[in-house]
Amino acid sequence: IQAVETYTKLRVLGKPGVGKTTFLKYLAIQCNDGRFSADQIPIFITLREFAEEFRNNHEFSLLSYIQQLLLVSESTITSPAALERLLQAGRVLVLMDGMDEVLNQDAAAVLKEIRKFSDQYYKNRFVASCRTADQRLQLRGFTDVEIAPFTSSQITTFAQKWFVALTKTTTQSGQDQAKEFLEKLELPANWQFRQLVVTPLFLHVACWVFQGQGKFPTKR
């Protein structure tokens, strides 16, 4: 959050399952609720869908795509002129998800359009997400920040909340199951799983499997 507040053009990097998409959606919800960048309107763009939409006519236009999104969402911002006024005033939070999911043949055109759009409407706030490994997808003018893996204490907190929230019986039962999960996770036989659960997605899957079986699978 501090990075998003500090830099108006930010690229959020991270490994698969670390929470990049979730973070961008969280920003959109916080913005809608007035808890973050309350004077702006969040626009969430899945870049893969944007590329697919404009591939046939070879005219990649973020402005046109945002206008389409607003029409589909039944927004009160229906006219191109109204959108243009908001963009000129810096009233939009543009969230662009999944740079790495754009097909290779579209990547150069999509990056060019992002640069052009973010330069033209520089008063707004831009956040894009991308897998850490994709260094070919550099964005001029954007600052990179990487989502860190979970620490041991964060894994513990996540597991405790997970089992309490999703237990079918009582809070105490959830706490007991979380304790058992964490104890077994530390066993030498489960070292492979300890390497996986530093990302929220795989930690969620591990909790889910453990809740159903009371143990970890023998194979990763």
Side-chain angles (χ1 to χ4, degrees):
I1 294 292
Q2 289 177 345
V4 178
E5 289 174 341
T6 303
Y7 303 101
T8 56
K9 295 181 181 180
L10 191 72
R11 193 171 70 139
V12 177
L13 304 174
K15 295 178 181 178
V18 80
K20 300 182 294 296
T21 300
T22 301
F23 178 63
L24 262 60
K25 289 183 176 180
Y26 173 78
L27 288 176
I29 292 169
Q30 291 291 97
C31 185
N32 272 335
D33 289 344
R35 297 192 185 100
F36 172 78
S37 212
D39 63 332
Q40 292 185 314
I41 297 169
I43 303 290
F44 188 95
I45 299 168
T46 302
L47 288 173
R48 181 188 68 255
E49 295 176 359
F50 163 67
E52 291 172 354
E53 181 76 21
F54 288 87
R55 183 181 303 131
N56 293 334
N57 59 18
H58 303 290
E59 293 181 8
F60 294 90
S61 171
L62 277 170
L63 184 61
S64 297
Y65 189 66
I66 290 173
Q67 288 171 353
Q68 289 181 23
L69 290 178
L70 293 172
L71 287 172
V72 171
S73 65
E74 299 180 353
S75 168
T76 55
I77 308 161
T78 54
S79 72
L83 175 60
E84 181 69 24
R85 285 195 297 272
L86 287 169
L87 287 166
Q88 291 291 351
R91 294 284 309 282
V92 181
L93 169 63
V94 184
L95 304 164
M96 299 173 287
D97 187 46
M99 288 176 58
D100 54 282
E101 296 177 13
V102 175
L103 295 177
N104 287 335
Q105 62 263 36
D106 299 328
V110 170
L111 287 177
K112 181 180 179 181
E113 175 60 13
I114 292 173
R115 293 190 194 102
K116 177 184 173 184
F117 188 84
S118 61
D119 286 345
Q120 181 176 356
Y121 299 109
Y122 63 91
K123 292 181 181 179
N124 301 277
R125 193 178 299 276
F126 299 87
V127 186
S129 73
C130 184
R131 283 191 183 182
T132 305
D134 258 313
Q135 294 304 318
R136 62 189 175 87
L137 300 173
Q138 296 288 344
L139 269 175
R140 185 190 70 242
F142 279 66
T143 299
D144 285 351
V145 63
E146 186 168 0
I147 298 180
F150 272 170
T151 63
S152 294
S153 63
Q154 288 172 324
I155 290 171
T156 298
T157 300
F158 184 102
Q160 289 171 341
K161 291 183 176 181
W162 194 99
F163 284 104
V164 169
L166 297 178
T167 184
K168 298 288 194 273
T169 53
T170 64
T171 298
Q172 185 60 51
S173 174
Q175 292 172 344
D176 292 342
Q177 199 168 17
K179 182 180 179 182
E180 184 183 5
F181 170 86
L182 292 165
E183 288 175 350
K184 289 190 175 180
L185 187 63
E186 292 300 318
L187 294 176
N190 295 320
W191 68 272
Q192 291 187 89
F193 284 91
R194 287 201 302 277
Q195 293 179 318
L196 284 175
V197 299
V198 294
T199 57
L201 178 61
F202 290 118
L203 179 53
H204 160 68
V205 173
C207 291
W208 179 53
V209 170
F210 190 85
Q211 186 187 45
Q213 300 181 7
K215 61 180 181 180
F216 296 104
T218 53
K219 294 183 178 179
R220 175 167 164 159

